[in-house]
Amino acid sequence: MKIQQLRYIVEIVNQNLNVTEAANTLFTSQPGISKQVRLLEDELGLEIFERNGKHIKALTPAGKKIVAIARELLVKTQSIKAVADEYTQPNHGVLRIATTNTQARYMLPSVVERFSKKYPDVSLHIHQGSPTQIYDALLSGEVDLAITTEAQYLFDDLVLLPCYLWNRSVIVKNDHPLAQCQNLTIEELSKYPLVTYTFGFTGVSDLDYAFNSAGLLPNIVFTATDADVIKTYVRLGLGVGIMASMAHTPEDKDLVAIDASHIFRSSMTQIAFKHSIFLRNYMYDFINMFSPHLTRPMVEQAERLHDNNAVKKLFDDIVLEVR
């Protein structure tokens, strides 16, 4: 059994069982990958993949377990290299982060600026996606850290650190009837078509909860994963926007932001990473820059707990910043 064979089967899964795409990603040949997978299956005495002729159609039950273990072994392999680099090149390396558009556009720029000045020889890569895409990227080892605010049940098997609380604003054009509203109610909001985040993206479930609690049905006419897209369609008059308050900036002079924190529950932004990863010193620094209460000793303590309920209790006495 070779590490390269494990890398091949994991990448085939990452590429939705497409061997050609896996070969392209790994800069090798499709026949070479297929041969090595067959050799691994012969050595193990079972099939990892179900096939229809020459085409892979699914993982076998045993294959699912093997791929899960292979992922962990590959992360461990990366961690060995990371340990060596920590001692030989402490300020050189790569940091890969997966997050949503709102975080990347409105929260990360100042952090990235500080981090890049302190670590000019660390290559920083930001991947944007949905909560499910973020989770998949973290699980597959494509990224080191994930910054997430929704679908947190996906991250139960990972280290999950609370960063800050945030809420929503209602966004309208200057000439909209709600622009002069002094005390917005959910009943008033329900009278208008709504433009908001795609389900599973930064709090649509909290939006549904608020309307359902009031016995009302929201009239959602457009959804997007990007706050800037929401603002664009509010400007076009498609509806009233509901988005993260942080996404309304001084440049949005043609839009009025109405605080809706009394209508919707606060959401928590969290940083996630795999238990098996070796965090470089610059990774601890990035986490601390993003959320000052996440000091290295606190993060290390959370790593040792292996239970996110226990991690949550660890931070119970900390008053999270509201942004």
Side-chain angles (χ1 to χ4, degrees):
M1 186 185 304
K2 302 174 183 177
I3 290 293
Q4 191 73 326
Q5 292 172 327
L6 301 182
R7 185 170 289 112
Y8 287 164
I9 63 172
V10 167
E11 193 56 38
I12 289 171
V13 175
N14 290 347
Q15 299 301 325
N16 298 314
L17 306 181
N18 188 316
V19 180
T20 300
E21 288 301 319
N24 292 337
T25 302
L26 295 172
F27 302 101
T28 188
S29 68
Q30 182 268 330
I33 286 185
S34 296
K35 178 182 177 180
Q36 289 301 319
V37 171
R38 283 296 192 185
L39 287 173
L40 178 58
E41 289 178 323
D42 290 344
E43 180 182 347
L44 295 175
L46 52 76
E47 289 191 338
I48 296 172
F49 297 103
E50 293 180 13
R51 294 173 175 84
N52 183 5
K54 294 183 178 180
H55 299 286
I56 292 174
K57 65 177 184 178
L59 277 168
T60 64
K64 291 178 182 179
K65 296 180 180 180
I66 290 169
V67 168
I69 295 171
R71 288 190 191 278
E72 293 303 316
L73 289 174
L74 292 176
V75 172
K76 291 291 187 183
T77 302
Q78 293 171 352
S79 294
I80 291 172
K81 179 67 165 58
V83 170
D85 289 342
E86 185 69 10
Y87 285 91
T88 59
Q89 304 181 84
N91 294 327
H92 291 69
V94 177
L95 177 54
R96 304 162 303 167
I97 299 166
T99 189
T100 62
N101 170 271
T102 298
Q103 297 293 326
R105 169 72 174 81
Y106 298 102
M107 299 307 300
L108 281 177
S110 61
V111 178
V112 169
E113 183 179 22
R114 288 175 58 203
F115 181 85
S116 297
K117 286 180 179 178
K118 184 172 183 178
Y119 295 102
D121 295 318
V122 174
S123 179
L124 189 59
H125 302 273
I126 306 294
H127 304 254
Q128 297 178 50
S130 68
T132 302
Q133 290 169 332
I134 292 169
Y135 172 78
D136 289 342
L138 189 60
L139 192 66
S140 67
E142 293 178 39
V143 299
D144 307 298
L145 303 175
I147 301 174
T148 180
T149 58
E150 189 58 51
Q152 291 171 3
Y153 63 90
L154 290 173
F155 298 84
D156 283 345
D157 54 343
L158 305 166
V159 181
L160 203 55
L161 306 172
C163 297
Y164 64 86
L165 296 170
W166 62 273
N167 213 304
R168 297 147 194 79
S169 289
V170 169
I171 308 296
V172 296
K173 294 195 294 183
N174 290 327
D175 58 354
H176 192 277
L178 289 181
Q180 306 303 321
C181 184
Q182 298 298 316
N183 187 23
L184 181 64
T185 65
I186 195 165
E187 288 77 14
E188 187 68 20
L189 189 58
S190 68
K191 298 175 183 177
Y192 298 93
L194 304 177
V195 180
T196 189
Y197 294 108
T198 301
F199 182 80
F201 237 96
T202 57
V204 171
S205 55
D206 289 330
L207 183 149
D208 287 336
Y209 175 83
F211 278 95
N212 291 339
S213 297
L216 299 169
L217 186 66
N219 178 22
I220 299 176
V221 295
F222 183 85
T223 63
T225 59
D226 185 330
D228 291 330
V229 173
I230 291 174
K231 287 188 282 188
T232 295
Y233 283 90
V234 169
R235 289 184 171 104
L236 290 175
L238 190 63
V240 171
I242 301 176
M243 66 182 193
S245 297
M246 68 186 82
H248 184 265
T249 69
E251 288 74 29
D252 298 318
K253 293 183 174 62
D254 58 329
L255 297 175
V256 175
I258 306 166
D259 178 48
S261 59
H262 60 291
I263 296 176
F264 303 110
R265 298 181 300 186
S266 294
S267 295
M268 185 187 297
T269 293
Q270 303 187 83
I271 286 181
F273 57 86
K274 298 180 77 170
H275 286 281
S276 52
I277 191 175
F278 174 78
L279 292 180
R280 299 282 301 273
N281 182 62
Y282 59 74
M283 295 179 181
Y284 285 109
D285 272 2
F286 181 91
I287 292 171
N288 183 240
M289 289 178 187
F290 186 75
S291 192
H293 67 269
L294 294 177
T295 61
R296 180 165 184 163
M298 291 293 285
V299 174
E300 289 176 335
Q301 189 174 349
E303 287 181 84
R304 293 191 292 268
L305 291 175
H306 288 270
D307 179 355
N308 281 326
N309 288 325
V311 172
K312 185 178 179 182
K313 290 180 181 178
L314 179 64
F315 293 95
D316 275 349
D317 294 333
I318 294 176
V319 178
L320 295 180
E321 182 181 357
V322 179
R323 302 183 185 177

